[in-house]
Amino acid sequence: MLQDEQVREESLTAEEQDMLNSVRVNRIILPMLLGLGVVAYMMWRSFQKEELPELDWNLLTISLLGLTVLLLGLRHMAYALRLRVLTEGEFTWRKCVELIFIWEFSSAITPTSVGGSGVALFVLSQEKLATGKIAAIIFYTIILDTTFFVLGLPILFLLLGTPMIFPEGDTGSSVITNSFFVSYILMLTYGSLFFYGIILRPDRIRNLLGWLTSWKFTKRFRRRAVKMASDMVTTSKEIRSKPFSYHATVFGATAAAWSIRFALVMILMIAFVPAVREGLGWAQQTLLYGRLEAMYVVLALSPTPGGTGIAEAAFGPFLRDFIVDSNGKYAAGMAVLIAFIWRLLTYYFYLLAGTIAVPNWIRGVVNERIRRRKMSK
């Protein structure tokens, strides 16, 4: 037993030890305290006694809350389906579900502007996948996620106009508008770069990266750039060889996962805001959906882990023309409550789930390494 424990310790690589360090209490508690602190402060500042009668915890409200939990599960399974198709069935459903927990956890502890792709790259590299397939999965998921927004947002904007980005009469509309377009342009730029470099002409991107890192002050990035260019070429061959059904399935799963993310917030709004439940037609519901997409794009620039603190603070101002009381006035306290439940389901849940999923996954990797080591003796 002691010998196995010693082997287990020796089998942990530096990267795996870093992964374990990521689930230490201080890495999890700080983002939670930041987010909950913002919620508590906003609740203290915003909640009015007049709003209490508006909060009707009836059977419909409880049923809709149950529906949001179901939607959370469906969203997770949509990502698991995408991963299973991208690995061409090399991962079991159980493995895909487990890895999505780790992927979401890594996104929760890294700034929204960075994302969890780096951790995903490391995790997939431990799962005995070919290097080319790993690169294809990581790069293609970036393309898929970006394509959903790059194509969808202009269509919604043409249908809805500027109210999609901010409430009419919002005094901070210029800041929101600028943030939205800066974030969208950045998303369009790197999405187009990856699409061109992987789907269309990886050879030209390889030449461009080689030229950019040939200068004296950029040579230190050359090795990383060459590796990235090589991965793009490998990814291009991998992806372009797939049938149409492959691409349709993974994009469909991507669109479903993102749409469910926004639908979950819409269900929470229906559960708690009578005006949304009773008075919104299809046009207003489409506007609400478009506003939620725009909010996510703005929050994509967040420098905090998982957008914590900023997401909670931005939720109410973004949706203040929807979250209103029976008199048509903005219900700030109600907005804080909905924001808290939304983040509880989509952020804090994965933050806590990662504390179980990451150690279990590393334990499985290390145990498999020990088993192979024993068999080779």
Side-chain angles (χ1 to χ4, degrees):
M1 178 70 78
L2 290 175
Q3 186 177 3
D4 280 354
E5 289 299 323
Q6 184 179 0
V7 173
R8 191 169 282 110
E9 287 294 322
E10 292 173 354
S11 297
L12 283 174
T13 65
E15 289 176 302
E16 288 162 352
Q17 192 61 54
D18 286 342
M19 281 282 288
L20 278 176
N21 290 340
S22 72
V23 297
R24 285 182 175 175
V25 174
N26 63 324
R27 293 292 299 274
I28 297 168
I29 292 297
L30 288 178
M32 290 187 69
L33 289 178
L34 177 59
L36 295 175
V38 170
V39 169
Y41 174 76
M42 292 175 63
M43 188 68 76
W44 174 69
R45 285 286 304 273
S46 306
F47 206 87
Q48 304 293 326
K49 291 181 180 179
E50 293 80 8
E51 294 182 29
L52 287 174
E54 303 281 346
L55 297 173
D56 186 9
W57 291 85
N58 53 33
L59 181 61
L60 176 61
T61 301
I62 295 172
S63 298
L64 289 173
L65 285 175
L67 179 58
T68 61
V69 176
L70 176 62
L71 288 176
L72 181 65
L74 289 175
R75 173 176 166 266
H76 194 99
M77 292 307 298
Y79 278 131
L81 170 63
R82 182 174 75 170
L83 183 58
R84 183 165 166 80
V85 174
L86 287 171
T87 60
E88 297 180 279
E90 289 191 39
F91 289 167
T92 64
W93 276 106
R94 181 177 178 179
K95 173 62 70 175
C96 290
V97 168
E98 178 188 29
L99 293 180
I100 294 301
F101 271 118
I102 297 173
W103 203 320
E104 290 290 313
F105 170 75
S106 66
S107 297
I109 61 172
T110 53
T112 306
S113 53
V114 175
S117 296
V119 175
L121 178 62
F122 164 69
V123 169
L124 293 176
S125 69
Q126 307 301 307
E127 294 291 343
K128 296 182 291 185
L129 287 177
T131 303
K133 188 175 289 294
I134 294 171
I137 291 172
I138 298 300
F139 283 130
Y140 201 25
T141 54
I142 293 173
I143 291 174
L144 290 167
D145 289 334
T146 306
T147 300
F148 176 80
F149 287 97
V150 167
L151 295 182
L153 284 169
I155 296 173
L156 288 170
F157 188 77
L158 287 174
L159 290 173
L160 304 171
T162 54
M164 183 194 86
I165 305 175
F166 53 82
E168 293 185 15
D170 190 339
T171 55
S173 60
S174 60
V175 176
I176 295 174
T177 302
N178 292 337
S179 299
F180 173 81
F181 283 110
V182 167
S183 186
Y184 180 80
I185 290 170
L186 287 174
M187 192 178 289
L188 177 63
T189 300
Y190 75 72
S192 300
L193 179 65
F194 275 110
F195 183 82
Y196 184 80
I198 291 173
I199 306 299
L200 301 179
R201 296 298 301 269
D203 55 324
R204 290 194 175 181
I205 294 296
R206 179 173 55 191
N207 294 339
L208 175 62
L209 289 174
W211 176 71
L212 290 174
T213 55
S214 63
W215 304 332
K216 184 177 181 179
F217 56 90
T218 59
K219 278 188 176 180
R220 59 195 177 106
F221 302 111
R222 187 170 182 82
R223 181 179 298 178
R224 215 177 310 176
V226 170
K227 175 70 168 59
M228 183 178 179
S230 176
D231 287 344
M232 280 188 166
V233 172
T234 305
T235 299
S236 179
K237 294 176 181 177
E238 180 83 16
I239 291 177
R240 292 169 70 175
S241 66
K242 304 302 180 190
F244 174 78
S245 58
Y246 172 92
H247 301 289
T249 303
V250 293
F251 184 75
T254 301
W258 281 109
S259 298
I260 291 171
R261 177 192 288 262
F262 304 127
L264 188 149
V265 184
M266 294 176 73
I267 295 298
L268 286 175
M269 300 270 284
I270 293 171
F272 290 102
V273 185
V276 174
R277 183 165 61 246
E278 299 164 4
L280 291 190
W282 284 105
Q284 286 294 97
Q285 290 182 27
T286 304
L287 175 60
L288 175 57
Y289 178 89
R291 184 78 61 75
L292 290 169
E293 277 208 25
M295 181 178 71
Y296 177 84
V297 171
V298 173
L299 293 177
L301 292 175
S302 171
T304 61
T308 186
I310 295 177
E312 290 86 350
F315 185 86
F318 253 101
L319 302 172
R320 66 180 178 81
D321 52 336
F322 289 98
I323 307 176
V324 296
D325 58 21
S326 55
N327 297 317
K329 295 182 179 179
Y330 171 49
M334 195 181 297
V336 175
L337 176 63
I338 297 171
F340 172 67
I341 298 174
W342 164 55
R343 294 291 283 173
L344 187 67
L345 290 170
T346 60
Y347 177 72
Y348 299 111
F349 168 73
Y350 281 108
L351 203 60
L352 293 174
T355 64
I356 300 172
V358 171
N360 282 346
W361 173 78
I362 291 180
R363 192 178 301 116
V365 170
V366 172
N367 285 342
E368 176 63 20
R369 205 172 290 161
I370 293 170
R371 186 186 67 81
R372 290 201 303 266
R373 187 180 298 181
K374 286 181 177 180
M375 290 180 63
S376 65
K377 290 182 179 180

